Amino acid sequence: MKNSNAQIAQSLFEELYPICRSITGNGVRETLRILQEYAPWNIHEFSSGTQVFDWTIPEEWNIADAYVKDEKGNRVIDFRVSNIHVLNYSEPVQGKFSFFELREKLYTLPEFPEAIPYRTSYYNRDWGFCLTQNQYDMLDPYSDYEVCIDSTLEPGSLSLADMELLGNEGKKTYIISTYCCHPSLCNDNLSGPILTTLLYRAMKKMDLRHNYRFIVAPETIGIVTYMHANESFFKEVDGGFVITTTAGPGEFGAKMSFLNNADVDRVVRLSFSERNMKFREYAFAPDGSDERQYSSPAFRIPIATITKDKYYEYREYHTSKDNLDFVSGDNLSETLKLYISAIEKIEMNGVYKVLEGRGEIQLGKRGLYPTVSGHVKQFAHKNIESSLNIVGDIVYSNPIDAISWFLFYADGNTDLITVSEKSGVPVEQLYEVAKKMLHEKVVVQVES
Ligand code: ZN
């Protein structure tokens, strides 16, 4: 188990969690630098004030400390305890405020009184503190409070990173994208850059046919910046995945692309169904994450997302309770298996044409009819109920069924993903059959 994906994920969670990130600043830079120790991310900087499509890169934000002190000098709200206590992107402030003045700058979650909410103010200059309702209730309305936010907002740059895996055919290009702008929050969003980094490492070991571009950037402004700098590249992208909220304790989910039946959608559904796994399917909506940019009218790239405790859907979302206790490296590595499975299906897909198309192929005379034990993988029972947290093995179909379905659709028009959807035979099993039939010169591959 040494250096398993689960262990690397767990140690990255622990290393990255304390860092105060935002859409710009040293927290993001430090995060990208740590990720570089695990995969060859190329870091790029874009200057404040740069116009990127309809947006402008804001001034860079950095913060050293922040607190609210009572009259005895106790830090009753303390950035050192949790960096989400500060309204993210707060301008600097120093001074004494009455409770009633301070109250206007405080954010709580009355319905979840022990959690600190996460709030930002990127594009309106403002300051504030986020605290638990329980902390708020302890404040004295008749006291004055000393407030300090030791932050800077100055011309600087926005940091993001990318890397690439080029396939040996390179006919199709996919993006695998995530964001890195949330401070000490685990499922949303540290689980995204960690899974994306581990997915790269897994895919680097594959013999890939297609091209893949990996991107980690601050959400929205970072991706808009990256697309602005790489506009012609994005005109050629066939599809992709936005990686977010992958490591919670709850149910698996998948958000589909605006097309709903793009190859990225179909391989995600098959990755669950081939394992008889339950998951919650979310139809496309123009909300969520950076699919909003990738799928916008000028680009229309279909994007799918596999989640484990999807953003918006869990109580701890965007609060201090989305912490190291909420996520685990084990959970993340289960979601990673599903992404790897989806990528493998994209890679295995292909269209085949049978050379003798009149009637059925006589398999017996070619030695292709499976014996009792089967030339293909052993047939497994289809009644396996996967538990919520474990991504089980693919449940193979009867080998004769697999051959029959493959040959029936070896018509030069139907790809393996479609055959799998129509037959219930896993793509992996159809691919094994295809390789055998190619070898025996029963079929030719007409398209990849
Ligand atoms: Zn978020």
Side-chain angles (χ1 to χ4, degrees):
M1 281 296 284
K2 200 163 188 298
N3 289 328
S4 68
N5 284 323
Q7 283 175 321
I8 297 171
Q10 188 63 40
S11 71
L12 271 170
F13 271 127
E14 288 165 18
E15 188 173 4
L16 297 173
Y17 178 72
I19 299 172
C20 184
R21 280 163 293 269
S22 185
I23 54 172
T24 63
N26 291 327
V28 172
R29 245 168 244 128
E30 172 71 359
T31 299
L32 298 177
R33 195 198 58 71
I34 291 167
L35 293 173
Q36 272 182 329
E37 294 170 16
Y38 296 85
W41 289 106
N42 305 300
I43 300 177
H44 307 281
E45 299 282 346
F46 296 86
S47 297
S48 307
T50 307
Q51 188 76 25
V52 289
F53 298 136
D54 205 33
W55 297 69
T56 306
I57 298 176
E59 294 196 309
E60 183 177 323
W61 184 70
N62 285 292
I63 182 162
D65 193 14
Y67 56 81
V68 173
K69 278 185 183 168
D70 66 16
E71 288 174 350
K72 294 189 187 111
N74 302 311
R75 289 181 174 229
V76 292
I77 307 171
D78 189 352
F79 174 79
R80 294 181 306 200
V81 172
S82 171
N83 57 42
I84 74 170
H85 270 314
V86 172
L87 177 72
N88 199 280
Y89 245 70
S90 280
E91 61 186 353
V93 57
Q94 178 96 53
K96 259 201 159 56
F97 295 83
S98 73
F99 171 78
F100 294 98
E101 292 166 325
L102 180 61
R103 191 172 64 170
E104 304 300 313
K105 299 291 187 185
L106 300 182
Y107 301 86
T108 67
L109 271 181
E111 65 276 19
F112 194 1
E114 62 275 25
I116 309 165
Y118 162 57
R119 297 282 182 271
T120 66
S121 185
Y122 300 138
Y123 302 103
N124 292 321
R125 277 218 170 197
D126 198 0
W127 64 271
F129 285 89
C130 307
L131 66 164
T132 71
Q133 184 63 40
N134 293 340
Q135 271 177 302
Y136 182 92
D137 292 342
M138 305 271 284
L139 297 176
D140 178 358
Y142 304 105
S143 276
D144 287 340
Y145 287 93
E146 185 190 333
V147 171
C148 168
I149 297 179
D150 182 8
S151 65
T152 54
L153 274 164
E154 291 166 350
S157 60
L158 176 149
S159 317
L160 55 79
D162 66 357
M163 58 186 170
E164 210 162 41
L165 285 171
L166 297 178
N168 51 40
E169 291 177 16
K171 286 184 190 148
K172 286 190 170 182
T173 299
Y174 295 89
I175 51 172
I176 297 172
S177 177
T178 191
Y179 52 99
C180 57
C181 48
H182 291 31
S184 291
L185 294 161
C186 282
N187 200 37
D188 181 28
N189 75 237
L190 278 179
S191 74
I194 295 173
L195 188 142
T196 305
T197 300
L198 292 173
L199 182 57
Y200 172 93
R201 289 159 63 101
M203 289 171 62
K204 178 127 179 77
K205 295 179 193 145
M206 296 181 194
D207 185 21
L208 295 170
R209 295 157 58 216
H210 303 304
N211 298 333
Y212 298 86
R213 176 82 62 95
F214 297 75
I215 304 149
V216 55
E219 202 170 20
T220 308
I221 183 69
I223 295 301
V224 168
T225 298
Y226 188 77
M227 294 182 82
H228 180 261
N230 296 273
E231 190 170 354
S232 57
F233 166 80
F234 282 99
K235 298 282 187 192
E236 307 300 323
V237 172
D238 294 281
F241 300 97
V242 163
I243 316 270
T244 170
T245 49
T246 67
E251 66 181 354
F252 286 107
K255 181 182 175 184
M256 297 302 158
S257 79
F258 68 94
L259 293 174
N260 194 43
N261 63 349
D263 54 1
V264 290
D265 301 313
R266 298 164 75 196
V267 296
V268 164
R269 286 195 189 98
L270 288 171
S271 295
F272 286 105
S273 66
E274 289 177 2
R275 295 174 166 84
N276 291 343
M277 284 177 65
K278 294 200 185 90
F279 71 106
R280 186 177 297 261
E281 184 171 318
Y282 300 92
F284 177 81
D287 62 9
S289 185
D290 292 315
E291 63 271 28
R292 299 200 311 272
Q293 317 311 325
Y294 295 129
S295 305
S296 63
F299 298 100
R300 285 292 190 248
I301 300 167
I303 299 288
T305 295
I306 301 171
T307 57
K308 196 164 186 322
D309 276 310
K310 182 180 172 288
Y311 56 85
Y312 306 154
E313 304 284 321
Y314 59 101
R315 187 173 188 233
E316 296 80 358
Y317 169 72
H318 277 192
T319 78
S320 55
K321 298 295 181 184
D322 186 351
N323 57 20
L324 290 169
D325 294 332
F326 184 73
V327 294
S328 75
D330 285 324
N331 290 341
L332 185 145
S333 77
E334 295 300 309
T335 311
L336 176 63
K337 288 181 199 169
L338 292 164
Y339 271 115
I340 292 170
S341 177
I343 297 288
E344 283 174 343
K345 287 176 212 335
I346 287 175
E347 288 290 318
M348 288 177 191
N349 196 23
V351 177
Y352 298 84
K353 190 169 173 28
V354 71
L355 290 170
E356 173 55 78
R358 296 164 294 179
E360 225 172 54
I361 293 292
Q362 196 192 345
L363 297 170
K365 75 177 185 190
R366 294 180 167 86
L368 291 171
Y369 199 80
T371 60
V372 175
S373 59
H375 289 175
V376 192
K377 252 193 176 173
Q378 185 62 280
F379 166 65
H381 293 288
K382 279 241 172 191
N383 59 359
I384 296 168
E385 267 298 325
S386 295
S387 86
L388 202 58
N389 286 302
I390 301 299
V391 176
D393 291 334
I394 291 169
V395 181
Y396 275 65
S397 299
N398 181 300
I400 299 168
D401 290 347
I403 293 172
S404 305
W405 281 109
F406 171 78
L407 289 174
F408 182 77
Y409 279 116
D411 53 13
N413 295 310
T414 313
D415 66 5
L416 293 188
I417 290 173
T418 306
V419 182
S420 179
E421 289 170 338
K422 287 177 183 291
S423 66
V425 179
V427 173
E428 287 73 0
Q429 193 175 4
L430 293 167
Y431 182 66
E432 293 299 319
V433 173
K435 280 197 292 190
K436 185 175 281 287
M437 295 294 157
L438 267 180
H439 184 258
E440 298 297 332
K441 298 190 168 52
V442 173
V443 297
V444 288
Q445 188 166 5
V446 297
E447 200 185 300
S448 58

